[in-house]
Amino acid sequence: MNAIEVIDLKKNYGSLQALTGVDLSIAEGAFFALLGPNGAGKSTLINIIAGLTRASSGRAAILGHDVRKEWRASRYKLGVVPQELAYDPFFTVREMLTLQSGYFGLGRENRPWLDELLKALGLEDKADTSMNHLSGGMKRRVLIAQALVHRPPVVILDEPTAGVDVALREQLWSFIRSLNRKGHTIILTTHYLEEAENMCDEIAILDRGRLVVSAAKDELLSRYSWRQLRLQLLPESRFKLPADMAAKQESAPKGELLLRLHREHDRIDEVLAALEATGVKFSDLRIHEPGLTEVYSELTGGGENHE
C-alpha cells in the first residue's frame, strides 16, 4: 500500500487550472521531495491531500483512506507542518501541544510522547514559555511538534527550514532523518534544492499544474547527459580548438577553458589528449557533475515563477 496515492487530480479556480490531472504515488517509508516553481500547484496538492481544499475531480488517498470519503481516518494518518508560522500567542508551548493532542482525542496518556517531542526538538527549556516570546526558529520547532503529537505515519513538511539559521537547520534535519528511519513517510517541499538532493531518495517536480517527472533521485540525475570540464590555463597556452571541440566550448573567465561534455560519448582522458595536441597547457582541472539544480532548471524552463 502506498502512503499517498493521487489519481487524475484536478483543481480549477474559475478559469485557472491549478492542477491538470496529476497522478502520483508515494511509497510507505519514502523520503520524498515535491518540488516546483511558485505557482506550480504544490500548495494546492498538499491542501487537497490534507483535506483543506476539495479537488474539482480525481482522487487522493492516505494509506488507502480516501481523503473525502474517509476524512477522519485519513487525517489521523497525516501530520502537516505548514510554511506559515500560525500560532496562538497566549498559549505556552506545552499548552499548544496539549491542545493539539485533544483534537485527536488524546489526553494524559499522550504526555510521555509530548515530553519526548519537547526533548527531541530542543524545546524542553521553552515548554512553559508563551509562544509570543519565542524566536522564529523556535516557533518552527513547535509547528513540527504539533504535526507529530498524534504520531502520524505520513508527515508533510512545507518549507520547514525557511528563514531558519544553519545550526537549527541541522538539528531539524537530524530529527526528521530519525523519524524516517523509524518508518515515517516524509514528504518535503522546499526551494532549497540542495536540501532535497541531500535528504530525499525520490523526487517529483510540478510545473504549471502538471506533474513533469516523478522518479528515484539517482534515476533522475542520470538522465542529465552532460558534465563540465574546466581547465585553468597556463599563460603560455597557445591553441586553436578544432571545430568538434570548439562546439563543446562554453563561456568562461579569462584564463580558463570550459567544455560541456557528454557523459557517455566524451571520455575525459581522450578529451585531454586532444586538447594537449592542439597546444592547450593547464595547471589545474575540475569536473562538475550536474546535480538536482541543473535537472530542475532544465525541466522547469529555468525554474522561474509562474504566478
Side-chain angles (χ1 to χ4, degrees):
M1 182 184 301
N2 286 316
I4 299 288
E5 189 74 41
V6 171
I7 301 172
D8 195 25
L9 207 61
K10 298 178 182 178
K11 178 60 181 178
N12 301 326
Y13 295 99
S15 60
L16 174 65
Q17 287 188 305
L19 295 175
T20 59
V22 172
D23 293 295
L24 180 65
S25 297
I26 301 176
E28 282 190 80
F31 205 133
F32 194 96
L34 180 63
L35 309 178
N38 291 334
K42 303 186 302 297
S43 294
T44 299
L45 179 57
I46 289 172
N47 287 339
I48 290 173
I49 292 171
L52 300 175
T53 299
R54 177 168 290 194
S56 300
S57 63
R59 179 177 181 270
I62 302 171
L63 291 169
H65 299 287
D66 188 285
V67 299
R68 287 180 60 180
K69 297 177 181 178
E70 302 172 90
W71 61 270
R72 191 183 299 275
S74 67
R75 292 180 194 181
Y76 204 91
K77 299 292 184 181
L78 180 68
V80 179
V81 181
Q83 183 177 349
E84 297 80 13
L85 291 174
Y87 60 93
D88 191 316
F90 301 105
F91 285 110
T92 67
V93 172
R94 189 183 300 277
E95 287 170 341
M96 285 288 291
L97 298 185
T98 302
L99 182 65
Q100 187 76 8
S101 290
Y103 290 147
F104 292 94
L106 302 171
R108 294 176 180 272
E109 74 280 3
N110 205 38
R111 287 184 179 179
W113 173 238
L114 297 187
D115 290 337
E116 188 175 334
L117 284 175
L118 290 169
K119 182 177 181 179
L121 289 166
L123 291 167
E124 280 183 301
D125 61 341
K126 303 292 185 182
D128 298 314
T129 301
S130 169
M131 290 292 297
N132 207 35
H133 294 149
L134 296 181
S135 67
M138 285 295 176
K139 289 172 183 172
R140 196 161 294 282
R141 294 190 198 197
V142 177
L143 290 184
I144 293 174
Q146 278 187 276
L148 297 173
V149 295
H150 58 298
R151 303 177 190 248
V154 182
V155 181
I156 296 178
L157 304 168
D158 191 1
E159 298 285 350
T161 58
V164 172
D165 64 58
V166 174
L168 177 54
R169 188 177 299 178
E170 288 300 317
Q171 291 176 0
L172 290 178
W173 283 134
S174 177
F175 178 66
I176 298 303
R177 285 191 190 97
S178 70
L179 286 178
N180 185 240
R181 286 194 296 268
K182 293 175 182 177
H184 291 261
T185 303
I186 307 296
I187 301 162
L188 167 70
T189 75
T190 180
H191 287 292
Y192 300 127
L193 297 182
E194 68 278 7
E195 286 187 344
E197 185 170 357
N198 291 336
M199 300 288 296
C200 300
D201 45 38
E202 294 187 49
I203 294 170
I205 298 176
L206 284 173
D207 192 24
R208 296 180 176 91
R210 65 185 182 87
L211 184 66
V212 178
V213 68
S214 179
K217 178 179 66 180
D218 292 342
E219 177 189 341
L220 186 59
L221 295 179
S222 69
R223 296 182 187 183
Y224 217 61
S225 60
W226 63 269
R227 63 179 67 171
Q228 286 181 325
L229 173 64
R230 185 182 296 270
L231 301 179
Q232 188 70 46
L233 300 174
L234 291 171
E236 60 266 28
S237 284
R238 299 290 185 272
F239 61 91
K240 182 178 180 180
L241 296 179
D244 62 332
M245 197 67 69
K248 305 177 188 296
Q249 188 174 5
E250 295 190 325
S251 177
K254 186 177 180 180
E256 293 185 0
L257 176 62
L258 182 63
L259 300 177
R260 182 185 178 101
L261 306 178
H262 195 281
R263 276 181 168 176
E264 296 181 4
H265 302 154
D266 296 316
R267 289 183 47 179
I268 299 296
D269 58 341
E270 293 176 352
V271 170
L272 290 176
L275 290 173
E276 288 181 310
T278 67
V280 172
K281 297 181 180 180
F282 59 93
S283 59
D284 191 22
L285 68 83
R286 283 175 290 165
I287 299 173
H288 172 67
E289 298 284 353
L292 183 57
T293 298
E294 289 85 354
V295 174
Y296 175 87
S297 181
E298 184 170 279
L299 291 175
T300 61
E304 70 277 9
N305 295 351
H306 300 311
E307 293 181 322

